Amino acid sequence: MRVALDRLLGVVEGDPSLVHLERFAGRPARHRQAAPPVAPALAALLPGPLWSHQADALELARGGSSVVVSTGTASGKSLCYQLPIAEAILDAEEGNGQPSSALCLYPTKALAQDQLRSFTALGLPGLVSACYDGDTEAGRRSWARRHANVVLTNPDMLHAALLPHHARWATFLSRLRYVVVDEMHTLRGVFGSHVAHLLRRLRRLCAHYGSEPVFLFGSATVGEPAALARELCGGPVVAVTDDGSPRGERFFALWDPPVIDPVSGARASAHSETARLLAELVAGGSRAFAFCRSRAAAESVAAEAVRRVGPVLGSTIRSYRSGYLATERRDIEAGLAGGHLRGVVATSALELGI
C-alpha cells in the first residue's frame, strides 16, 4: 500500500497544478464477536473476524430491529445485511426456522450485479440469489419468482413489476424476513419521497401475506441516519454509526488546471486535465477511477486517456455509462473485478458502491 501511495504521489507532486495536498492517517480495526457467535458453517465463509459495527448490526437484526448502518467507504456495510440474511436461510436449511426470503434494493444495476456476485461467492447451501431488473430476460424473471429467496432489484422495478403483480410473488412476500435498502443517502428530494411511498406499499402487502420484514439500510455518513431511515420505511430504526473498520492512509489533492492564455486567464479544461492525470497514473502502474457528470464527458476523457498512453495500455482503459448494452456493462465490471482494467472513466452509473 505504501509503495502504491508513493507512486501516486510521484505523479502529482511537483506539478504546478497541485495547489493543496492533505494527508489522512490510517487506523486499525476494532473486532468484536457477535452474541451468540456466528454459526461455524457460516463463519467459515467469512473473510475474517467481524468488525465491531458489523457485530452490532447483526445483533440488532437478529432481535427484529430495523437498522441503518452509516459508516465510511469500504467499511463492510454489505456484510451487515448479508449475514442476517444468510443466517435466516441457513437456519431454515437446518430445520431451525421457517423458510425466509430477502428483497434487496439498489439504486443502480451495476451495484446490484456487484452484490449478486457477493451473495453467490458465499456458496451457502439454500441461498438462491437473482437480479430482477430491466436487463433480466423474461425467462430469468419467471425463474427468479419461482426459485430465488434473495432478489436484488431497484425501486423502479419494485414499483412497476413487483408490487402491481404481487399475487405472483405471494410465496416470496409471505416469507419476506428482510428488506435491504442500500445507498440510503441517495434517497432525497422527490425521489426519496417516492421510495418512501413504495416501502409503505410494500409493508402493507407484506402484512396482507402475513409477514413483517425487518428493514436494513446502508448509507454513507449522514447527519441523522436514523431519522432519514424512519421517514423512508415508516417505522422505528436504530442507527449504527461507530465504525470499527480499518482504514489505510489517504491523500486528498486539490487540482487547479493550468493557465493556457495569460492574457485572458483561460485555463485548460477539467476534462483534458482528468485525462492527463488518468493516463499518467495508469502509465505509472496505478489503478484509477475518474468520474464525469455526463456520458459525453466520460467518453471524451476515456478516449483522450487512451490516446495518451498508446494502444497497449489503452486496452486497459474503458468508459462506463448508462446506455451500454447489459453485456457491455457486465464485461467492464468483470474487467474491474479481475484486475484487467487499469483505468475507468464513469458517470454516476458506476459511482455508487465503489
Side-chain angles (χ1 to χ4, degrees):
M1 183 65 181
R2 181 69 251 181
V3 173
L5 284 173
D6 289 341
R7 189 167 56 224
L8 174 62
L9 292 174
V11 172
V12 299
E13 280 189 318
D15 194 303
S17 294
L18 179 65
V19 296
H20 182 72
L21 185 65
E22 188 83 13
R23 174 186 177 273
F24 297 91
R27 68 181 180 212
R30 287 184 288 118
H31 297 289
R32 186 172 77 79
Q33 189 177 77
V38 176
L42 185 55
L45 304 176
L46 301 180
L50 295 181
W51 295 325
S52 58
H53 66 282
Q54 294 172 330
D56 293 341
L58 176 60
E59 290 171 355
L60 287 165
R62 284 169 169 174
S65 296
S66 292
V67 184
V68 54
V69 180
S70 180
T71 52
T73 302
S75 59
K77 289 189 287 288
S78 297
L79 201 60
C80 293
Y81 59 76
Q82 290 174 352
L83 263 180
I85 291 171
E87 277 195 340
I89 291 173
L90 183 62
D91 286 346
E93 283 291 302
E94 295 177 348
N96 298 322
Q98 298 297 318
S100 298
S101 61
L103 178 67
C104 303
L105 301 178
Y106 303 97
T108 65
K109 295 175 183 176
L111 184 51
Q113 287 291 332
D114 178 69
Q115 292 301 308
L116 177 63
R117 287 190 289 269
S118 294
F119 275 112
T120 303
L122 286 175
L124 188 69
L127 195 159
V128 183
S129 56
C131 272
Y132 194 93
D133 56 31
D135 291 343
T136 310
E137 299 174 352
R140 293 292 299 175
R141 293 187 186 188
S142 297
W143 185 92
R145 283 196 300 269
R146 293 194 305 268
H147 301 290
N149 50 17
V150 178
V151 171
L152 299 86
T153 186
N154 54 64
D156 290 330
M157 289 297 287
L158 178 63
H159 168 67
L162 274 74
L163 297 183
H165 308 289
H166 56 85
R168 299 179 182 178
W169 294 86
T171 301
F172 182 87
L173 292 172
S174 68
R175 297 174 174 177
L176 192 59
R177 175 81 172 272
Y178 293 110
V179 175
V180 173
V181 182
D182 206 0
E183 303 293 345
M184 181 194 72
H185 58 279
T186 65
L187 303 178
R188 56 186 183 268
V190 174
F191 180 56
S193 298
H194 289 171
V195 173
H197 286 297
L198 280 175
L199 297 182
R200 283 160 172 78
R201 286 169 57 194
L202 176 62
R203 289 181 65 194
R204 288 198 298 271
L205 281 173
C206 288
H208 173 73
Y209 288 105
S211 64
E212 188 177 355
V214 170
F215 284 81
L216 306 175
F217 295 89
S219 174
T221 49
V222 294
E224 296 288 343
L228 176 56
R230 284 195 300 269
E231 290 297 320
L232 286 168
C233 72
V237 181
V238 180
V240 174
T241 57
D242 186 14
D243 191 343
S245 65
R247 187 173 64 196
E249 186 180 22
R250 296 183 297 171
F251 290 87
F252 175 84
L254 185 60
W255 198 264
D256 194 17
V259 175
I260 56 176
D261 186 349
V263 176
S264 66
R267 294 181 176 273
S269 75
H271 292 164
S272 65
E273 285 296 282
T274 301
R276 178 168 75 89
L277 277 172
L278 180 66
E280 290 179 2
L281 289 169
V282 169
S286 298
R287 299 182 70 189
F289 286 102
F291 289 101
C292 300
R293 292 192 174 193
S294 69
R295 300 179 185 182
E299 295 281 2
S300 174
V301 169
E304 175 63 14
V306 169
R307 185 190 68 79
R308 286 174 176 269
V309 300
V312 177
L313 280 178
S315 65
T316 68
I317 298 176
R318 296 284 298 274
S319 61
Y320 186 105
R321 58 171 176 79
S322 60
Y324 285 165
L325 295 174
T327 52
E328 293 176 304
R329 291 197 298 271
R330 300 297 92 81
D331 179 59
I332 297 170
E333 292 159 13
L336 278 171
H340 166 68
L341 291 182
R342 310 298 302 176
V344 174
V345 187
T347 64
S348 58
L350 184 67
E351 183 174 3
L352 299 173
I354 298 298

